[in-house]
Amino acid sequence: MPRVSQDHLDARRRQILDGARACFARHGYEGATVRRLEDATGLSRGAIFHHFRDKESLFLALAEDEAHRMAEVVAENGLVQVMRDLLSTKDETGPQAYPADWLGTRLEVSRRLRTDPDFRARWAERSRELTAATRQRLQRQRDAGNLRDDIDVRVLTAYLELVLEGLVSHLAMGLPADDLDPVLDLVEDSVRRHRRG
């Protein structure tokens, strides 16, 4: 029997994650039944669970994938850019191709963090990546003289993370988002160093 290439395995894993992202966003964790996951991914349960031990492992892998993608955006462009990406409507080839699905995943993560102590313990390790990326980006900006230096970087990190959580809640409630760019401009301006002159 021929061996399956790593590229094929990686592509199959990506197919599963992309389908599961849409399924969890639409139906929530409990509503994302195996049958719905099969429909969303176009694969059998055997194919899905060959790559992931169970539904919880699949969901955690999806949440980790989202956190990793966010950390990459943060490292390159900052946490405010993650927020801007949430507000933008991009075509399906952009880096944030499915902001609504990302939001659904993020909301499910938040809900499970409140209600599932085991998930909370597993997730704590993963969420540190985003915090570390944000902190490192802010430190680089401070070192370059672009960031205010009167507030500790840890405090600025917590501030930006709270703004992100507030934006996620705002979007989750279905409140209008087309006028929030000036708010994000204000957030960005609030952490910048202002030179006199």
Side-chain angles (χ1 to χ4, degrees), residues 92-160:
E92 298 205 2
T93 61
Q96 287 280 346
Y98 304 100
D101 291 347
W102 178 91
L103 177 62
T105 302
R106 182 74 179 167
L107 292 171
E108 277 300 306
V109 166
S110 296
R111 188 189 66 72
R112 295 206 59 214
L113 288 173
R114 286 191 325 274
T115 60
D116 184 340
D118 293 331
F119 181 80
R120 186 168 44 247
R122 290 178 71 186
W123 180 250
E125 297 172 29
R126 278 66 177 192
S127 65
R128 290 186 192 112
E129 181 183 6
L130 182 59
T131 297
T134 301
R135 198 172 287 164
Q136 289 166 6
R137 165 82 179 177
L138 290 172
Q139 190 60 56
R140 284 195 309 273
Q141 290 297 309
R142 176 171 283 171
D143 293 345
N146 299 325
L147 189 74
R148 58 189 299 173
D149 57 7
D150 60 327
I151 299 176
D152 190 280
V153 167
R154 290 173 297 185
V155 174
L156 292 174
T157 301
Y159 164 65
L160 291 175

Side-chain angles (χ1 to χ4, degrees), residues 3-37:
R3 291 179 52 125
V4 178
S5 74
Q6 188 61 47
D7 287 345
H8 177 77
L9 291 173
D10 292 345
R12 181 58 52 96
R13 188 175 194 279
R14 173 58 41 209
Q15 178 184 355
I16 294 166
L17 288 173
D18 289 344
R21 179 180 295 109
C23 188
F24 285 124
R26 172 173 280 180
H27 302 289
Y29 181 80
E30 283 78 17
T33 62
V34 172
R35 180 74 189 129
R36 285 177 171 158
L37 286 167

Side-chain angles (χ1 to χ4, degrees), residues 26-58:
R26 172 173 280 180
H27 302 289
Y29 181 80
E30 283 78 17
T33 62
V34 172
R35 180 74 189 129
R36 285 177 171 158
L37 286 167
E38 288 176 320
D39 290 344
T41 62
L43 298 170
S44 69
R45 72 184 58 213
I48 295 168
F49 296 118
H50 171 75
H51 291 270
F52 301 95
R53 185 179 65 235
D54 52 27
K55 185 169 86 167
E56 179 163 312
S57 297
L58 172 57

Side-chain angles (χ1 to χ4, degrees), residues 144-146 193-197:
N146 299 325
R193 181 177 180 187
H194 296 279
R195 293 179 176 88
R196 294 187 183 130

